[in-house]
Amino acid sequence: SIDKVLEKITAAMEVSSPFIVNETVDAMASKIESLEEQAKTNWIDNHSVIDNDGRARCSFHFCNKLFKDKSFLQKHLLKKHPEFLQAEVAKSHDSFMMNWWDREERRPVPDVCIDCGSK
């Protein structure tokens, strides 16, 4: 009986996808991913200073480390300054999140406790 159930489950999984696919959400997700990658590339370029001799320098005012080339600087930026990158990448989500929020009919908002003083 277990073998029969496994056969039915296997057959059902082969016929249809186990995931619910929403083309609109998938398209939006791929657009957000491309915007994230673009933001990451721009952020690395904006925080890289390439000297005349090909060496690269971190352009954060509190760091200014010098590296052999841009690939080492890129690794440094991603490893030592990720919180600044996360802030830039998060900006690419903002418009999508606000549009999604505006379209929702039922917006989940937590209860707010207001202290009006003692009565």
Side-chain angles (χ1 to χ4, degrees):
S1 72
I2 293 176
D3 292 331
K4 289 180 183 179
V5 172
L6 287 174
E7 288 175 14
K8 287 181 182 179
I9 291 173
T10 305
M13 288 179 70
E14 290 174 0
V15 172
S16 64
S17 173
F19 303 105
I20 298 173
V21 178
N22 185 333
E23 286 82 12
T24 306
V25 174
D26 286 345
M28 192 180 309
S30 61
K31 187 171 183 179
I32 290 172
E33 286 175 352
S34 67
L35 288 173
E36 285 178 346
E37 191 60 37
Q38 183 181 6
K40 178 180 171 183
T41 304
N42 290 341
W43 181 80
I44 289 172
D45 290 342
N46 291 339
H47 292 90
S48 302
V49 176
I50 308 299
D51 293 340
N52 293 334
D53 58 356
R55 295 189 298 176
R57 184 175 298 276
C58 180
S59 67
F60 280 103
H61 68 279
F62 53 85
C63 185
N64 285 329
K65 278 191 162 186
L66 185 62
F67 296 92
K68 187 175 181 180
D69 64 13
K70 190 172 180 176
S71 64
F72 291 103
L73 173 59
Q74 180 177 353
K75 184 178 175 183
H76 163 79
L77 287 169
L78 295 174
K79 188 175 179 183
K80 298 296 182 182
H81 308 298
E83 63 277 6
F84 298 102
L85 173 60
Q86 289 172 352
E88 286 298 314
V89 169
K91 290 178 186 176
S92 61
H93 303 162
D94 288 348
S95 63
F96 292 96
M97 291 172 62
M98 289 305 297
N99 289 337
W100 193 275
W101 175 262
D102 288 339
R103 285 192 309 262
E104 285 292 315
E105 292 178 14
R106 297 178 62 201
R107 299 177 182 157
V109 178
D111 294 334
V112 177
C113 180
I114 300 174
D115 183 14
C116 296
S118 60
K119 292 185 177 183

